[in-house]
């Protein structure tokens, strides 16, 4: 004779119910990502509407939209590298200084003698070299990322100032200057925007479709668990700072094309803009979660705000306050999301 089911047995979920719950929980992160992305797209749409209302003739002009995208491209490439670093639980305060050093080193008279290839190669190799130093100090020297990259910030800025002696180094290589002219646009799209798009696509694939990306997320989520799972945490961190340096080198070359010169003041506050864009895009400052698409949208939001303020002749101080408010709101949303997940 069968025994009647106890209350606990009656309330216990069936295997089918468990499977449905697991499937639902596995879908929830994707739903959250969609909500964040749609929210940023909504913010961007509102900003475009505000720009169209307050300065319709200037803001919606094709030349201005091209300018916004071009300005977003340089800091956007830096932000892609920063997203990887923050996702791994690290931080890089030296990205702006690395951009400055790479730009002035690549525009010296000796470097310009090698033409287009010499400038591009020097900018990239200087960025990668700085990233290598950061990675070695953090991964194998066991230095705190904040301290190591802060030291690089000071050193790179000082070296950039020494190279230029405070003066602007004008680019005389015509092929580099031509890349920034309107004649080089492809179907109305500036070449720098195409470079940014390519870096974004590669970054997205690397983070979301490769073992490298999964290891990056694992290290950021729990470095010790990642080590026990067989991941070489130190080598992974080294690669990540190399990647950040590579992005800074590419951004330095783009800035050279855009400005037609190299200056020790280039990349000023890029580290703050890149970190802010990554955070409002949905990348956790504590690591373990990152999104390239969100970071790119964050860059576009900040660049659009800057453009709207400039067109309306509003004070820079108000612009900074607006950016700060957006960052605080994004962090509060992240905290609420994390508490909701637990």
């Amino acid at each position: 004779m069968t025994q009647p089911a106890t209350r606990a047995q009656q309330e216990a979920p069936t295997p089918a119910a468990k499977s449905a719950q697991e499937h639902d929980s596995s879908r929830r992160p994707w739903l959250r990502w969609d909500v964040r992305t749609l929210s940023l797209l909504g913010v961007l749409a509102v900003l475009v509407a505000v720009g169209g209302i307050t300065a319709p003739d200037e803001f919606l002009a094709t030349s201005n939209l091209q300018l916004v995208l071009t300005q977003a491209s340089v800091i956007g490439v830096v932000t892609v590298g920063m997203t990887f670093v923050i996702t791994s639980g690290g931080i890089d305060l030296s990205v702006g200084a690395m951009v400055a050093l790479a730009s002035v080193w690549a525009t010296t008279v000796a470097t310009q003698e090698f033409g287009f290839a010499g400038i591009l190669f020097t900018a990239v190799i200087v960025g990668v070299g700085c990233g290598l130093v950061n990675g070695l100090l953090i991964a194998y020297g066991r230095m705190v990322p904040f301290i190591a990259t802060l030291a690089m910030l000071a050193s790179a800025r000082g070296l950039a100032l020494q190279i230029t002696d405070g003066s602007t180094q004008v680019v005389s290589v015509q092929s580099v200057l031509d890349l920034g002219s309107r004649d080089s646009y492809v179907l109305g799209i500036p070449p720098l925007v195409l470079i940014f798009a390519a870096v974004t696509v590669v970054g997205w694939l690397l983070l979301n479709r490769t073992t490298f990306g999964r290891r990056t997320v694992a290290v950021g989520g729990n470095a010790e668990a990642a080590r026990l799972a067989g991941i070489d945490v130190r080598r992974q961190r080294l690669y990540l700072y190399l990647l950040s340096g590579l992005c800074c080198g590419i951004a330095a070359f783009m800035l050279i094309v855009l400005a037609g010169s190299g200056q020790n003041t280039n990349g000023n506050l890029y580290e703050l803009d890149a970190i802010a864009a990554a955070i409002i895009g949905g990348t956790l400052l504590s690591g373990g979660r990152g999104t390239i698409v969100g970071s790119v949208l964050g860059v576009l939001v900040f660049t659009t705000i800057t453009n709207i303020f400039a067109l309306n002749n509003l004070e820079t101080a108000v612009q900074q306050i607006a950016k700060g408010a957006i960052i605080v709101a994004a962090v509060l949303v992240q905290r609420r999301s994390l508490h909701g997940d637990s």
Side-chain angles (χ1 to χ4, degrees), residues 7 19-20 22 54 61 77 102 128 139 144 157 159 165 202 231-232 234 241 256 259 262 276 279 282 285:
R7 183 175 181 179
S19 177
E22 291 174 357
T54 58
V77 170
V128 171
V144 177
R157 282 289 178 193
L159 185 55
D165 196 23
V202 172
I231 297 175
D232 191 332
R234 292 188 298 178
Y241 283 95
I256 291 171
I279 290 174
L285 192 57

Side-chain angles (χ1 to χ4, degrees), residues 95-230:
V95 291
M98 289 193 291
V99 169
L101 179 58
S103 69
V104 300
W105 206 323
T107 53
T108 59
V109 175
T111 302
Q112 293 193 49
E113 291 180 356
F114 294 94
F116 185 99
I119 293 176
L120 174 59
F121 176 79
T122 302
V124 171
I125 203 66
V126 170
V128 171
C130 291
L132 176 63
V133 174
N134 280 338
L136 290 174
L137 290 175
I138 294 167
Y140 295 94
R142 299 184 182 278
M143 288 187 67
V144 177
F146 182 91
I147 300 300
T149 57
L150 185 62
M152 176 58 72
L153 183 156
S155 301
R157 282 289 178 193
L159 185 55
L161 178 59
Q162 185 176 26
I163 291 175
T164 61
D165 196 23
S167 61
T168 299
Q169 299 179 163
V170 179
V171 176
S172 59
V173 179
Q174 192 59 44
S175 56
V176 173
L177 298 176
D178 289 342
L179 195 60
S181 66
R182 298 189 65 86
D183 293 336
S184 63
Y185 287 12
V186 180
L187 299 177
I189 303 175
L192 298 187
V193 177
L194 296 176
I195 295 174
F196 175 37
V199 171
T200 299
V201 171
V202 172
W204 185 89
L205 291 173
L206 195 61
L207 184 60
N208 297 282
R209 293 292 184 267
T210 66
T211 303
F212 181 86
R214 290 191 290 272
R215 288 175 178 172
T216 299
V217 174
V219 170
N222 190 322
E224 181 60 21
R227 186 187 67 81
L228 294 175

